[in-house]
DNA sequence: ATATATTTTTAGACAAGACTAAAAATATTA
DNA sequence: TAATATTTTTAGTCTTGTCTAAAAATATAT
């Protein structure tokens, strides 16, 4: 069994591993968890004794197969709870993160299983992130940043890169939601801003926005 | 804000206060929480500094109005989650306690509120225990132990005194569920066992069972 | 009322998980 | 390659919540 703290470390490493080919650095973990490198060093030692990470001093950290399974199960729970909050309890997608961050640590295999059934086996959370299955595997869909679309290309909005409350609220205001189709009408070389068509309306989008919105090209 | 441990102490004191007129003893808390009296002594000191309990050395402990509010909100969450597990996730009433014990510590006023709405503002949990309202108040119904009914009296099954998995499973096996009507056909002086009628069938019930089943006299 | 038993508190220790400051290892740059 | 910068680890401290053992207070019994 793993403590709250251990689970949070595993989750952090899991997420960081997605972006790096090599091992995850102590500093990167510290930054992600808003803690100190020395604390990370301590914890990594414990985790490697529990055989969930492989650890070579000064060389960064990798999850073992076992560790990855644990981490994926936490991410699975997090995302299932997010779906629950949005679909059943009328939370909006910018309100779910902190609560899911707590709920993900509830230990009960039956609970996760029944929740999955109750929600109809969702494949993605409200932000478009894939939900790992019971074995920790996730089927990722082919998605591209909106900023990579060429002029006149179209795509369906399928996820966000930045899931901060601020960004999500901004999307709400502009009525940009997952599932909607977006067509790039114009790309400005000057500031890399986009002119897009969504819901039949024309909208101007900064590069920062386009860099945080995923679409599935169509 | 209160820690997990503090919340568990508050809840324990809350429950113990229901049975005692005077302050709750250190030993009673230790027993309930399966910890040592010395640990309780330490924690009580912290809690009284936080103004949730009143504490006089060697004299037992009482919740303050504030403390009672906190405790009631935890009990409220516990019982709402139990309803959720049974009604929505197909848990049986003997499986919910341990999970609810974890879920009760999730901190999110919106979550509790929405859950309450989602469940249709239930007044009692699956074991017949009342769910405190937002202010921590609970409307208790007039209930009596089945063992206190006289011959030929009838009542509706409304709760259990012992909510251990063993007892609940026993009731399941005998098809004794909340809401069913029970009539006392016979009382045996010899061993205080009862002969009752339920679902039109005759059933023999030991005193131990009758002492752990609440009915509302009718 | 005095002796005995029980309850409660205090004192001191420990583990988990975090921190600061300093040392050691690795990376980078001239 | 030597000098400097960065990253990582170690050493020692702190807090929370627990424990054991012993002391102090209260309760009970003769």
């Amino acid at each position: 069994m793993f403590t709250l703290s251990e689970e949070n470390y595993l989750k952090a490493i899991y997420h960081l591993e997605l972006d790096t080919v090599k091992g995850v650095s102590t500093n990167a973990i510290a930054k992600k968890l808003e803690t100190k490198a020395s604390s990370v060093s301590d914890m990594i030692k414990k985790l490697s004794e529990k055989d969930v990470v492989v650890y070579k001093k000064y060389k960064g950290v990798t999850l073992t197969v076992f560790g990855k399974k644990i981490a994926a199960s936490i991410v699975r729970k997090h995302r299932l709870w997010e779906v629950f909050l949005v679909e059943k309890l009328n939370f909006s997608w910018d309100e779910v993160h902190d609560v899911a961050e707590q709920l993900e640590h509830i230990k009960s295999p039956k609970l996760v299983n029944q929740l999955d059934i109750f929600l109809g086996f969702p494949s993605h959370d409200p932000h478009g992130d894939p939900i790992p299955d019971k074995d920790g595997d996730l089927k990722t869909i082919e998605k591209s940043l909106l900023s990579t679309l060429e002029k006149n290309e179209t795509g369906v909005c399928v996820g966000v890169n930045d899931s901060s409350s601020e960004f999500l609220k901004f999307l709400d205001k502009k009525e940009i939601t997952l599932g909607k189709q977006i067509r790039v009408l114009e790309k400005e070389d000057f500031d890399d801003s986009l002119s897009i068509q969504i819901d039949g309306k024309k909208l101007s989008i900064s590069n920062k926005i386009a860099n945080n919105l995923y679409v599935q090209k169509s």
Side-chain angles (χ1 to χ4, degrees), chain A:
Chain A
M1 204 51 74
F2 295 89
T3 66
L4 181 70
S5 200
E6 288 170 340
E7 289 196 349
N8 283 331
Y9 273 91
L10 286 174
K11 191 170 52 120
I13 298 165
Y14 178 85
H15 287 309
L16 289 167
E17 263 194 346
L18 296 178
D19 305 327
T20 44
V21 193
K22 331 199 63 189
V24 178
S25 79
T26 303
N27 255 5
I29 299 170
K31 196 173 174 186
K32 182 132 212 167
L33 292 177
E34 293 178 292
T35 185
K36 303 292 166 179
S38 53
S39 309
V40 176
S41 240
D42 287 348
M43 181 57 94
I44 293 303
K45 244 172 273 168
K46 282 178 216 159
L47 291 177
S48 73
E49 266 159 35
K50 288 193 165 192
D51 293 317
V52 282
V53 301
V54 173
Y55 168 67
K56 274 272 188 66
K57 268 189 197 172
Y58 295 99
K59 295 297 173 200
V61 166
T62 328
L63 290 175
T64 62
V65 172
F66 177 45
K68 190 174 259 166
K69 205 153 191 164
I70 306 285
S73 90
I74 300 165
V75 172
R76 170 170 164 79
K77 286 189 278 179
H78 182 104
R79 293 181 178 163
L80 281 174
W81 280 116
E82 285 195 343
V83 173
F84 171 73
L85 294 172
V86 167
E87 306 261 297
K88 304 295 181 181
L89 298 196
N90 273 104
F91 277 62
S92 52
W93 66 344
D94 60 290
E95 296 175 314
V96 295
H97 189 267
D98 292 351
V99 189
E101 204 77 358
Q102 299 177 61
L103 287 163
E104 72 191 5
H105 300 290
I106 302 293
K107 284 163 183 64
S108 164
K110 174 155 187 169
L111 176 60
V112 190
N113 217 44
Q114 293 299 110
L115 190 62
D116 194 25
I117 294 170
F118 184 59
L119 298 171
F121 309 101
S123 61
H124 293 79
D125 77 10
H127 312 111
D129 294 316
I131 298 175
D133 66 22
K134 279 168 214 183
D135 305 315
D137 300 322
L138 30 85
K139 60 160 185 274
T140 37
I141 56 175
E142 197 53 58
K143 63 187 182 183
S144 331
L145 285 175
L146 175 56
S147 54
T148 66
L149 291 209
E150 299 302 326
K151 180 172 172 175
N152 287 323
E153 275 194 297
T154 63
V156 175
C157 201
V158 292
V160 293
N161 188 28
D162 169 8
S163 58
S164 71
S165 176
E166 296 72 40
F167 182 56
L168 297 175
K169 275 184 181 146
F170 173 85
L171 294 180
D172 280 341
K173 200 166 65 189
K174 297 289 185 188
E175 294 182 305
I176 300 172
T177 58
L178 302 196
K180 282 193 180 173
Q181 199 174 52
I182 291 175
R183 166 176 226 103
V184 176
L185 299 174
E186 206 69 59
K187 296 189 79 166
E188 291 298 337
D189 278 348
F190 176 63
D191 61 355
D192 291 318
S193 71
L194 297 183
S195 176
I196 64 170
Q197 182 163 56
I198 181 168
D199 283 332
K201 283 172 289 188
K202 207 172 127 181
L203 206 62
S204 196
I205 288 290
S206 76
N207 175 254
K208 184 169 179 188
I209 304 301
N211 255 323
N212 280 300
L213 200 55
Y214 285 114
V215 294
Q216 186 167 32
K217 289 185 188 177
S218 47

